[in-house]
């Protein structure tokens, strides 16, 4: 089992940057496929980015490609999301998630979730 705690959210102006972190406790962080998802009230939780266990392969949602970068440091049990060129439509609560199985782009592939961190982008 793994516990996930996100940090780094906040208020930023359009065009700005933020870096989210997700600290994982428990054992075997490197055995999980990891992902970032986001959700706004009344909408489905959507994929932002995923990354394989080794960190060698990442995948992004269409709306963030070229602006966001997912990475992980298995020695520090930490997942990151670098967000650049932020837009007001990026405003959401961002969640870190871990998949003990194959993982993927579907939120139902993920077993463990953090509580989320709010990102608000002002125009």
């Amino acid at each position: 089992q793994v516990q996930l705690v996100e940090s780094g959210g906040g208020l930023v102006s359009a065009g700005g940057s933020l870096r989210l972190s997700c600290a994982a406790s428990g054992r075997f962080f490197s055995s999980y496929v990891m992902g970032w998802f986001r959700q706004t009230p009344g909408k489905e939780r959507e994929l932002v980015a995923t990354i394989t266990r080794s960190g060698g392969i990442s995948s992004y949602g269409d709306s963030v490609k070229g602006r966001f970068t997912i990475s992980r440091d298995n020695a520090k049990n930490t997942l990151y999301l670098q967000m650049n060129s932020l837009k007001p439509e990026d405003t959401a609560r961002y969640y870190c998630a871990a998949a003990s199985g194959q993982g993927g782009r579907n939120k139902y592939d993920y077993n463990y979730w953090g509580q989320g961190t709010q990102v608000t982008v002002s125009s």
Side-chain angles (χ1 to χ4, degrees):
Q1 193 169 359
V2 63
Q3 292 80 44
L4 305 171
V5 179
E6 302 93 337
S7 62
L11 175 64
V12 63
S13 298
S17 298
L18 280 175
R19 188 194 197 199
L20 304 185
S21 298
C22 172
S25 61
R27 302 173 67 185
F28 309 121
F29 174 71
S30 61
S31 68
Y32 294 94
V33 172
M34 299 297 297
W36 287 101
F37 292 78
R38 66 187 184 186
Q39 189 171 20
T40 55
K43 292 190 176 181
E44 291 284 326
R45 192 169 294 190
E46 66 170 1
L47 169 74
V48 176
T50 67
I51 191 166
T52 54
R53 291 170 175 82
S54 67
I57 299 174
S58 56
S59 176
Y60 296 90
D62 289 341
S63 61
V64 306
K65 281 180 183 176
R67 299 188 298 122
F68 290 12
T69 303
I70 188 172
S71 61
R72 66 191 296 167
D73 186 335
N74 287 340
K76 295 183 178 179
N77 284 7
T78 305
L79 177 73
Y80 302 100
L81 183 69
Q82 179 66 43
M83 305 187 294
N84 297 329
S85 302
L86 282 160
K87 304 176 182 180
E89 51 263 44
D90 294 318
T91 295
R93 191 163 187 84
Y94 284 71
Y95 295 88
C96 170
S100 57
Q102 185 174 354
R105 297 172 62 86
N106 192 316
K107 59 183 180 287
Y108 298 109
D109 293 334
Y110 292 80
N111 315 76
Y112 305 102
W113 294 84
Q115 293 300 306
T117 185
Q118 180 68 33
V119 172
T120 302
V121 184
S122 63
S123 57

